[in-house]
Amino acid sequence: MTEMKSNILVSDLKAIVGEDNVSDGIYERIGYAGRGVADLEDYEIPDVVVKPSSAQEIAEIMKYANKHKTPVVLHGSGTSLIGSSRPKHKGIVLDTTRLNWIDINEDYMYFECGAGVRCIDVINALEKRGYMLPTNPGSKIIASLGGIVACNTCGHMVDPYVGKPVDNVLGLEVVLPTGEIIETGTKSVCRPAGIDPTRVFAGSEGILGVITKIRMRLMPKPQMVYIAAFFKRVESVARSYLRMYKKKAPLPLYGEFVGTTLARMGFEHKGLKPPEGPITLVNSTGRTSEEAMQNAGIMCEIFRKEKPIDICIFKEAGGIQEKIWHIRDWILFYLQKKQARSLGVEVTVALPHLVEAMLELHIMHETSPIFKDAEVLTYGHIGSLSMHRTFPIPTSWPNDKRREAAMEIARMEREMHLKYEGCGKEWGQLGTRTRFFKMKYGEATYSMVMKLKKALDPNNVLNPGVLQGGNL
Ligand SMILES: Cc1cc2nc3c(=O)[nH]c(=O)nc-3n(C[C@H](O)[C@H](O)[C@H](O)COP(=O)(O)OP(=O)(O)OC[C@H]3O[C@@H](n4cnc5c(N)ncnc54)[C@H](O)[C@@H]3O)c2cc1C
């Protein structure tokens, strides 16, 4: 874009959202490009960053973008792990952080919020009134609820227990790519039967519209009992969860897995005796503490069948329990510190394959010439049949090698998902995963999504490139 055109773009946007809410400073624009400076191509640096505060302002921006065929990339907090919020063309980055209000309505049993509000702020506001937000990603401290609903992730929580956001969102306000503002859903805690446009946008990964307001049902926070079960082998943990499902046992709200290496490091970090093998951390729930305890008893019986090294039950949160559970959150900080950069896979499998897939996950890197001898770490949400492995990508590697490594990681993830009949449970399906989407669901399904996109966004101005995917 020429300097003159860029100046016009900036001043037109200032007329819509106000002088202070538009930035064309180079540092801010690079910040929104979502990659290290060394990896950036010029076309990935947006022309301008804009921070609207209402659906009306966003509608004006979208109409402007259509008129001038200018790409608009949505930015909740930019934590997408599959590059969905990374600009792939010059144009406008639309940051939703000013849509940051929350309103709890106990008469109707829902809360409403702006799409830019941080997940942690919603969690805290709800907990004060005895409610639970039915999603909890590791990025909750910065991730926006709009980004979470757009990705349709319940984070670490067990899906079959709590559902996805799409199961709990009652309605949305959405600005269509062409600038019309629509409302979906009703104010009832019952959602519409039949066609429900809420479902079109919750989980649409930002390609079909800009979510500006979210209405979600209030979910009472259950009572919890905490179980830490220590095992010698990963397959014992996997077999326990398989049994939990097969025996129709009450499912936990969280069923986390920490591999041996990370568990040892985490326990040492907390000043606790390192475990011999992998551990699983479980939150059993109930309407009363007695019910939560009863359910915990059933889970422990299941774990005992696999002859665990130890099982610890905590009736209340705090003390040692808090230290151990904090290890699961600490992993992310550890990885960022230790492996200056790392890339992860997210492998979610079908139930009959759980044990085999867990075993393969632990050796999958051995098939890769790049990662054969790397320190590859495992953790994840085994209660949801979903696991992570992270692979170190040293910053000292040249760009070509890092790209090759990223492709290798994407290949391994793809192969696991095809073999074990799963797909990403958390981070989304498009972005760098489009190739897998086509392989798994076929060209006809992909073409159907393309047609939907074309119908709603005829000029392809909203998040262009996400549906086309990267070259991983
Ligand atoms: C350290 C770390 C830990 C993480 N842990 C988890 C985890 O445990 N579980 C998990 O699921 N994910 C996790 N993630 C990934 C990421 O945080 C989530 O996918 C989150 O939902 C993205 O929220 P965001 O606000 O950052 O969205 P962004 O990254 O800004 O956007 C993500 C997608 O949503 C779209 N979008 C954003 N806002 C809107 C809107 N208002 N309307 C329409 N579309 C919109 C964007 O276009 C993009 O496609 C983690 C990421 C990091 C960096």
Side-chain angles (χ1 to χ4, degrees):
M1 187 177 275
T2 63
E3 197 179 326
M4 195 171 84
K5 273 193 175 167
S6 172
N7 289 343
I8 294 170
L9 174 66
V10 170
S11 69
D12 287 348
L13 291 172
K14 282 182 177 171
I16 299 173
V17 297
E19 182 105 9
D20 294 344
N21 301 309
V22 178
S23 170
D24 62 344
I26 185 66
Y27 294 117
E28 190 157 17
R29 290 191 289 124
I30 287 179
Y32 280 86
R35 279 187 204 260
V37 182
D39 306 338
L40 272 178
E41 301 289 345
D42 182 57
Y43 67 85
E44 294 172 309
I45 304 172
D47 293 308
V48 61
V49 178
V50 57
K51 296 181 182 172
S53 66
S54 67
Q56 287 69 25
E57 287 180 358
I58 293 174
E60 289 307 308
I61 295 167
M62 294 316 301
K63 284 178 192 160
Y64 180 90
N66 272 279
K67 189 170 163 198
H68 298 278
K69 311 274 187 301
T70 308
V72 176
V73 173
L74 296 182
H75 183 101
S77 77
T79 58
S80 167
L81 293 171
I82 52 170
S84 309
S85 43
R86 200 184 296 146
K88 290 150 191 78
H89 299 276
K90 287 271 178 208
I92 303 167
V93 164
L94 191 160
D95 179 316
T96 61
T97 43
R98 289 180 70 220
L99 305 169
N100 66 350
W101 54 276
I102 310 173
D103 181 23
I104 299 176
N105 190 328
E106 291 185 276
D107 289 337
Y108 281 84
M109 284 302 280
Y110 64 62
F111 74 90
E112 291 183 322
C113 68
V117 72
R118 290 183 314 159
C119 179
I120 191 72
D121 293 335
V122 183
I123 291 175
N124 290 340
L126 291 179
E127 287 203 346
K128 273 191 202 144
R129 308 246 198 133
Y131 299 108
M132 171 183 89
L133 181 69
T135 175
N136 190 10
S139 52
K140 62 179 171 247
I141 290 172
I142 51 169
S144 69
L145 206 60
I148 289 171
V149 170
C151 296
N152 195 25
T153 174
C154 61
H156 297 187
M157 289 177 167
V158 170
D159 290 46
Y161 175 105
V162 85
K164 289 284 201 217
V166 73
D167 301 306
N168 297 303
V169 171
L170 300 173
L172 297 169
E173 178 187 68
V174 179
V175 178
L176 297 181
T178 37
E180 299 86 352
I181 303 174
I182 63 162
E183 288 264 354
T184 71
T186 71
K187 292 200 165 183
S188 166
V189 286
C190 282
R191 284 167 313 146
I195 288 181
D196 178 3
T198 303
R199 290 180 177 270
V200 174
F201 298 99
S204 65
E205 302 186 50
I207 62 167
L208 302 180
V210 186
I211 298 168
T212 46
K213 180 174 82 181
I214 297 159
R215 185 182 314 119
M216 233 164 156
R217 77 188 174 96
L218 288 177
M219 198 178 266
K221 189 173 178 188
Q223 297 299 314
M224 288 191 219
V225 166
Y226 307 85
I227 307 164
F230 299 76
F231 289 90
K232 278 204 176 121
R233 314 176 70 85
V234 289
E235 55 267 45
S236 306
V237 189
R239 270 199 299 265
S240 297
Y241 280 94
L242 184 59
R243 233 179 235 127
M244 223 180 268
Y245 278 92
K246 293 285 206 183
K247 295 280 174 200
K248 308 180 187 74
L251 292 175
L253 176 59
Y254 294 95
E256 291 291 293
F257 175 89
V258 187
T260 309
T261 313
L262 276 173
R264 282 189 186 145
M265 288 190 283
F267 273 66
E268 259 169 32
H269 169 73
K270 292 282 170 191
L272 301 169
K273 188 176 161 234
E276 277 178 48
I279 60 169
T280 181
L281 306 176
V282 181
N283 292 34
S284 155
T285 65
R287 276 164 303 146
T288 60
S289 28
E290 291 74 28
E291 195 178 40
M293 195 61 207
Q294 206 177 356
N295 289 339
I298 299 172
M299 290 170 200
C300 288
E301 252 175 58
I302 290 174
F303 287 137
R304 281 197 195 98
K305 296 225 178 321
E306 287 296 324
K307 302 197 174 18
I309 299 170
D310 199 2
I311 297 182
C312 301
I313 303 176
F314 304 93
K315 287 187 186 159
E316 280 170 14
I320 303 266
Q321 179 277 335
E322 208 167 84
K323 276 192 176 183
I324 298 179
W325 262 248
H326 190 247
I327 289 169
R328 183 54 197 82
D329 289 336
W330 164 87
I331 287 172
L332 294 173
F333 296 102
Y334 168 79
L335 289 172
Q336 272 171 2
K337 213 167 135 204
K338 170 103 197 309
Q339 303 181 337
R341 273 201 174 183
S342 62
L343 276 180
V345 293
E346 175 199 19
V347 174
T348 309
V349 303
L351 195 57
H353 307 303
L354 183 61
V355 180
E356 193 188 340
M358 274 295 272
L359 287 169
E360 185 167 338
L361 189 79
H362 280 76
I363 52 165
M364 67 197 276
H365 65 289
E366 289 172 11
T367 65
S368 156
I370 301 182
F371 294 110
K372 205 156 46 89
D373 303 313
E375 185 186 30
V376 184
L377 303 164
T378 315
Y379 62 98
H381 325 295
I382 191 165
S384 289
L385 320 182
S386 183
M387 298 294 299
H388 298 302
R389 286 223 98 182
T390 63
F391 301 81
I393 311 280
T395 38
S396 56
W397 283 3
N399 280 356
D400 282 355
K401 185 160 181 194
R402 280 195 261 165
R403 170 157 293 280
E404 197 189 333
M407 290 177 80
E408 192 66 351
I409 291 167
R411 174 193 63 78
M412 288 189 271
E413 183 186 81
R414 236 179 0 249
E415 284 177 4
M416 288 288 282
H417 277 149
L418 291 171
K419 183 168 174 191
Y420 295 117
E421 303 183 271
C423 67
K425 127 181 161 74
E426 295 187 89
W427 305 340
Q429 305 300 321
L430 302 174
T432 46
R433 286 179 167 162
T434 302
R435 187 166 163 197
F436 168 73
F437 188 93
K438 288 186 199 168
M439 286 166 91
K440 182 163 176 81
Y441 303 108
E443 287 294 337
T445 310
Y446 179 65
S447 148
M448 179 197 75
V449 181
M450 291 278 269
K451 283 178 194 154
L452 193 58
K453 168 77 172 156
K454 180 96 183 133
L456 289 175
D457 187 5
N459 293 317
N460 194 26
V461 288
L462 187 61
N463 280 330
V466 169
L467 191 45
Q468 283 66 33
N471 49 5
L472 296 184

